[in-house]
Amino acid sequence: MKKLEKMLLLLSLLAVIAVVARSDAAALRLHATHADAGRGLSTRELLHRMAARSKARAARLLSGRAASARVDPGSYTDGVPDTEYLVHMAIGTPPQPVQLILDTGSDLTWTQCAPCVSCFRQSLPRFNPSRSMTFSVLPCDLRICRDLTWSSCGEQSWGNGICVYAYAYADHSITTGHLDSDTFSFASADHAIGGASVPDLTFGCGLFNNGIFVSNETGIAGFSRGALSMPAQLKVDNFSYCFTAITGSEPSPVFLGVPPNLYSDAAGGGHGVVQSTALIRYHSSQLKAYYISLKGVTVGTTRLPIPESVFALKEDGTGGTIVDSGTGMTMLPEAVYNLVCDAFVAQTKLTVHNSTSSVSQLCFSVPPGAKPDVPALVLHFEGATMDLPRENYMFE
């Protein structure tokens, strides 16, 4: 097993990504809030907590360690939530609000439902199917049920013939329940729930939910490439999100479908030139994440000597570079991270001052009030170059 991958300082406080799904539809809007929003934390505390989440997530994914057996919210470190962003919407008629983890690595959208058999605590009431006039339980003979990794026909108290599912995640968290359909309501322009609504979307009613759920979520919104994902069900040709700074109060916009002024605004000079990089196609249907072609890294004036094969997706499904909405900081293989650190030290005219309590493993001493020059940090993708803003990788 590889060593835990090291992290850069802050590569994704602001990130925009658009991903292909299927045909076309009008843009729907969601808003996402950061898991630490409203907690009254300082900038330093926010960054420390983001670093802790990113390290812990990478450790779990690399080690295959099972999640805790408990279902009550807890923490792996000092009460830090386990994810980054929650998207807000409502299910049912009349609408019942839910707040779901935005997850580009899975496709099933689910929320905890009443009456729950084994569930974690949440601040919102659990979704109650009996209070929705548009709720429908799905039968187990549907293809969408059979295509799940694990599903069966319910018996006894579950109800004969309904689609029963169990859905597991890379950190070994799991949700078990029945597959249903209902109307979903999305956000209006002022961020309130009550904008567009879409009938008959498939989702999971989680009745047994076990694992690491500590972010005040009610479930998970699947945004991956799978057939059950929200973009796929809505048949939008893409989705996009822009994560605003975690230190601000503005929610982050999530669009299912492109807003009509997205590219015209960028071309007008307000947001820079639009660049794009193609998603990688692969033969395995089990790989539902969004893989991109990271080609290299430049620090200051130096393109680092990293073979492109280091970042490549292998034929056996290992390796590769993914876009992951659940990780706040960009993670690199240890050897690549060390090259980045060495290049920063060589090109920064400051004294290295490392500290075990730091957000990063690399720190510099800076005279009071000074804002010294630091090397640029550039990520090279197939067809696109991402010149990162200073505040995305250097915390002062």
Side-chain angles (χ1 to χ4, degrees):
M1 185 62 65
K2 291 181 180 179
K3 291 182 179 179
L4 172 62
E5 284 147 295
K6 302 282 188 177
M7 67 173 183
L8 291 180
L9 293 184
L10 290 174
L11 291 187
S12 38
L13 288 185
L14 297 172
V16 181
I17 182 72
V19 244
V20 171
R22 299 205 285 193
S23 66
D24 87 329
L28 296 170
R29 183 188 183 103
L30 294 169
H31 72 270
T33 57
H34 194 265
D36 278 331
R39 296 177 185 266
L41 301 171
S42 67
T43 299
R44 186 176 184 84
E45 288 170 323
L46 289 168
L47 298 181
H48 272 278
R49 289 160 72 89
M50 179 183 278
R53 278 192 293 272
S54 297
K55 289 180 179 180
R57 184 175 175 90
R60 288 197 306 274
L61 296 181
L62 288 171
S63 69
R65 182 169 76 244
S68 167
R70 57 172 163 70
V71 295
D72 286 335
S75 65
Y76 54 82
T77 173
D78 299 329
V80 177
D82 190 50
T83 190
E84 291 298 326
Y85 289 90
L86 302 176
V87 288
H88 302 264
M89 61 190 82
I91 305 174
T93 308
Q96 300 177 46
V98 295
Q99 47 195 31
L100 310 176
I101 295 171
L102 175 59
D103 185 16
T104 54
S106 63
D107 62 344
L108 178 67
T109 294
W110 62 273
T111 191
Q112 297 197 119
C113 289
C116 237
V117 178
S118 179
C119 287
F120 52 88
R121 290 192 297 269
Q122 61 182 59
S123 60
L124 293 174
R126 294 179 186 130
F127 176 74
N128 191 331
S130 66
R131 295 178 182 172
S132 173
M133 296 183 293
T134 47
F135 175 84
S136 179
V137 177
L138 297 181
C140 58
D141 58 356
L142 294 179
R143 180 172 179 175
I144 202 167
C145 179
R146 298 195 305 270
D147 285 349
L148 285 165
T149 303
W150 188 94
S151 64
S152 70
C153 288
E155 298 177 358
Q156 299 174 1
S157 62
W158 289 86
N160 291 324
I162 70 171
C163 180
V164 176
Y165 74 86
Y167 196 95
Y169 296 88
D171 64 3
H172 297 277
S173 296
I174 189 169
T175 175
T176 303
H178 45 80
L179 205 62
D180 310 306
S181 70
D182 209 332
T183 296
F184 277 59
S185 300
F186 299 93
S188 58
D190 62 358
H191 313 312
I193 302 296
S197 61
V198 179
D200 302 323
L201 291 185
T202 298
F203 72 104
C205 252
L207 303 181
F208 300 84
N209 309 304
N210 181 23
I212 303 175
F213 299 108
V214 299
S215 306
N216 203 24
E217 69 270 44
T218 69
I220 293 178
F223 269 68
S224 78
R225 284 177 140 170
L228 272 173
S229 75
M230 191 162 286
Q233 287 197 65
L234 291 168
K235 296 182 172 58
V236 294
D237 53 11
N238 58 74
F239 72 84
S240 59
Y241 56 76
C242 178
F243 289 153
T244 55
I246 63 171
T247 54
S249 58
E250 276 296 304
S252 300
V254 179
F255 293 101
L256 290 144
V258 170
N261 61 348
L262 178 65
Y263 293 103
S264 60
D265 278 359
H271 302 283
V273 177
V274 173
Q275 298 184 77
S276 64
T277 184
L279 297 171
I280 298 175
R281 295 290 179 184
Y282 37 74
H283 62 278
S284 174
S285 62
Q286 299 303 311
L287 298 177
K288 296 178 180 179
Y290 298 101
Y291 285 82
I292 54 177
S293 295
L294 178 61
K295 297 294 187 180
V297 181
T298 291
V299 176
T301 58
T302 304
R303 175 77 178 251
L304 302 182
I306 307 167
E308 290 187 9
S309 59
V310 170
F311 301 118
L313 178 62
K314 310 297 191 298
E315 286 296 320
D316 62 1
T318 61
T321 303
I322 67 168
V323 176
D324 180 23
S325 61
T327 303
M329 293 186 177
T330 295
M331 313 297 290
L332 295 172
E334 186 172 18
V336 176
Y337 174 85
N338 289 337
L339 286 174
V340 172
C341 284
D342 291 345
F344 262 92
V345 171
Q347 297 182 51
T348 304
K349 298 178 180 179
L350 295 169
T351 303
V352 174
H353 183 85
N354 289 331
S355 168
T356 56
S357 63
S358 162
V359 172
S360 172
Q361 289 87 0
L362 177 62
C363 296
F364 299 94
S365 294
V366 180
K371 189 171 183 177
D373 291 334
V374 296
L377 180 60
V378 179
L379 302 182
H380 302 279
F381 299 95
E382 184 70 44
T385 299
M386 189 175 185
D387 193 343
L388 290 160
R390 175 188 177 116
E391 63 269 18
N392 280 36
Y393 63 93
M394 187 64 68
F395 170 56
E396 298 171 55

